Amino acid sequence: MPVYIVLLGPPGAGKGTQAQLISEKLGLPHISSGDIFRENLKNQTDLGKLAKGYMDRGELVPDDLTIQMIRDRLSRPDCVSGALLDGFPRTVAQAEALTQMLAEFTGRVNAVPYINVAEEVLVERLTGRWTCRAEGHVFHEKFSPPKVAGVCDFDGSELYQRPDDNVETVTRRIRVYLDQTMPLIAYYRQGGVLLEVDGTKTINQVGADLLAGLDKMV
Ligand code: ADP
Ligand code: ADP
């Protein structure tokens, strides 16, 4: 049976950072909805053009577009053994659609690591974030600096600051998270698959907590 893991947590909690580690350890492809949208934006596809305004404003792209995009991605051959989802689902409607589509793939959401970080910490994390152009690897100018400023440690590509990582848009994204994504914590807790970890610890410690918790669940 395939294994599906959903990473939950506010913007800036460390989902992308930890996804790299978990994906490697468990051998599951890392599927980041934000990365797929940004790829579409870069290639100026119809989906990218539709998503752009929402992303610039820090709002969610409509559910139907997002759900279809993830369904296409999860149908690809590299997902036969499952996937690690980062940034999807973000609404109850998306979570319900995911449950349904995974049943079609004879799977289910096996574990939902929830990286819990207080709101006050998020703005500093996101406004200091540097992202790699090639693969979306993330660094932080203070908390996780690259070996050479402006250059990705993993693939040597250029690091940039995402246009939506400014204080105003970050504030909006946090509000959207509290309104629309927080209800998923109760949804998955009720389903018995939630694994809560303290995301304010160091990157290495959070990673160790996540792997220890997941070891018991998948
Ligand atoms: P998300 O994918 O949840 O939005 P990221 O993984 O991109 O979050 O992390 C946001 C920023 O915070 C990045 O700059 C990252 O380097 C930094 N970061 C991630 N985890 C930690 C941590 N445990 N302590 C300090 N900074 C962190
Ligand atoms: P974060 O740093 O908040 O984790 P992401 O890279 O996951 O940011 O998402 C960036 C933007 O892409 C979001 O603000 C939103 O506009 C769009 N997006 C990503 N995932 C989804 C989703 N599941 N539903 C709707 N919109 C999404």
Side-chain angles (χ1 to χ4, degrees):
M1 283 243 276
V3 169
Y4 297 96
I5 298 174
V6 167
L7 282 175
L8 210 58
K15 300 182 295 299
T17 301
Q18 300 300 337
Q20 270 170 250
L21 173 83
I22 298 174
S23 154
E24 204 172 293
K25 288 272 183 207
L26 301 186
L28 293 173
H30 170 207
I31 296 180
S32 155
S33 46
D35 283 352
I36 304 177
F37 278 130
R38 279 184 289 279
E39 192 64 27
N40 275 277
L41 224 66
K42 196 166 77 184
N43 296 330
Q44 302 197 357
T45 65
D46 290 344
L47 177 64
K49 285 176 194 159
L50 279 165
K52 185 177 187 321
Y54 297 100
M55 295 174 76
D56 285 346
R57 290 190 298 274
E59 292 167 9
L60 295 183
V61 179
D63 283 337
D64 52 347
L65 291 174
T66 307
I67 290 165
Q68 188 54 47
M69 176 181 89
I70 293 294
R71 174 187 284 280
D72 290 346
R73 182 65 190 88
L74 289 177
S75 305
R76 301 236 297 256
D78 64 327
C79 294
V80 282
S81 303
L84 172 64
L85 287 160
D86 162 14
F88 180 93
R90 259 178 158 89
T91 64
V92 172
Q94 289 180 13
E96 285 170 348
L98 179 66
T99 301
Q100 222 176 357
M101 78 175 90
L102 294 190
E104 288 169 30
F105 303 149
T106 67
R108 63 184 180 92
V109 173
N110 299 85
V112 181
Y114 162 45
I115 307 179
N116 191 1
V117 174
E119 221 180 304
E120 308 81 74
V121 183
L122 301 173
V123 178
E124 191 185 9
R125 284 210 186 166
L126 291 171
T127 54
R129 171 161 72 179
W130 289 78
T131 303
C132 117
R133 289 236 186 248
E135 300 264 357
H137 297 117
V138 286
F139 299 86
H140 191 282
E141 53 197 28
K142 257 180 35 199
F143 308 134
S144 178
K147 292 195 184 86
V148 179
V151 180
C152 178
D153 287 1
F154 303 100
D155 56 35
S157 81
E158 183 201 8
L159 300 180
Y160 76 110
Q161 290 195 286
R162 277 171 42 184
D164 58 341
D165 278 347
N166 63 75
V167 178
E168 194 193 340
T169 314
V170 162
T171 308
R172 168 81 66 87
R173 282 158 55 205
I174 294 169
R175 204 169 320 128
V176 167
Y177 167 82
L178 296 173
D179 281 354
Q180 303 198 56
T181 309
M182 276 280 266
L184 295 187
I185 295 167
Y187 178 90
Y188 285 119
R189 184 177 279 132
Q190 217 160 23
V193 286
L194 199 78
L195 166 68
E196 183 168 346
V197 299
D198 177 0
T200 54
K201 296 185 185 171
T202 64
I203 291 175
N204 286 341
Q205 189 58 57
V206 176
D209 291 352
L210 281 170
L211 289 178
L214 281 172
D215 201 38
K216 299 189 191 110
M217 298 175 86
V218 296

